[in-house]
């Protein structure tokens, strides 16, 4: 599983509008980066990449944009390790994540079968987070 879809700036702008936000240049850039990468970046990684393109961009602007996009339901926060948040595009099919304990890479994986059967009708589920941890194929091949 992986992100095969590329989102254009016009698609990103439309998503931000539908999320009820004003599509500022910074929000478009942040959402575009999260939507079009397989990296599951942190806020600092987003800042480092985008600050080359937008020299006046501040870390605060990146954090504020991320919070607004999370609140609008456009991106999800993944807190796989305590205190270390990564970001992923929210409007995509349910999937799980694999975290390599050697290189730290986060990889999209299909959702394990049977997860939906575990949900009882008495609960309203807002999100399901399934994380696998181990060694990715790339790191295994280096051994």
């Amino acid at each position: 599983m992986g992100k095969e879809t590329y989102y254009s700036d016009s698609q990103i702008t439309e998503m931000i509008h539908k999320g009820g936000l004003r599509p500022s240049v910074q929000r478009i850039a942040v959402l575009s980066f999260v939507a079009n990468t397989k990296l599951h970046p942190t806020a600092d990684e987003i800042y480092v990449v985008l600050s080359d393109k937008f020299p006046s961009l501040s870390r605060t602007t990146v954090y504020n944009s991320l919070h607004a996009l999370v609140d609008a339901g456009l991106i999800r926060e993944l807190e796989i390790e305590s205190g270390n948040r990564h970001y992923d595009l929210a409007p995509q099919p349910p999937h799980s994540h694999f975290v390599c304990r050697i290189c730290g890479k986060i990889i999209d994986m299909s959702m394990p079968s049977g997860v939906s059967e575990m949900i009882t009708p008495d609960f309203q589920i807002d999100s399901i987070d399934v994380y696998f941890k181990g060694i990715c194929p790339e790191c295994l091949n280096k051994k």
Side-chain angles (χ1 to χ4, degrees), residues 88-108:
D88 198 8
L89 184 66
Q92 57 179 318
H95 60 280
S96 60
H97 294 95
F98 177 89
V99 183
C100 179
R101 64 181 165 87
I102 293 177
C103 69
K105 192 183 305 180
I106 301 171
I107 302 164
D108 288 341

Side-chain angles (χ1 to χ4, degrees), residues 24-35:
S24 67
V25 172
Q26 295 87 351
R27 287 177 182 160
I28 293 168
V30 169
L31 182 56
S32 180
F33 184 71
V34 172

Side-chain angles (χ1 to χ4, degrees), residues 33-118:
F33 184 71
V34 172
N36 290 313
T37 184
K38 295 179 182 181
L39 301 176
H40 303 88
T42 64
D44 283 337
E45 290 168 340
I46 294 168
Y47 169 74
V48 167
V49 169
L50 295 182
S51 64
D52 285 343
K53 188 175 180 182
F54 303 99
S56 64
L57 185 70
S58 69
R59 275 189 165 77
T60 301
T61 301
V62 170
Y63 280 100
N64 290 341
S65 295
L66 286 168
H67 289 300
L69 294 167
V70 167
D71 289 345
L74 298 172
I75 59 175
R76 292 184 56 218
E77 282 184 332
L78 306 175
E79 192 169 358
I80 298 169
E81 299 136 346
S82 181
N84 195 7
R85 290 189 176 102
H86 293 262
Y87 295 89
D88 198 8
L89 184 66
Q92 57 179 318
H95 60 280
S96 60
H97 294 95
F98 177 89
V99 183
C100 179
R101 64 181 165 87
I102 293 177
C103 69
K105 192 183 305 180
I106 301 171
I107 302 164
D108 288 341
M109 296 182 70
S110 58
M111 188 63 77
S113 62
V115 171
S116 59
E117 288 82 37
M118 296 185 324

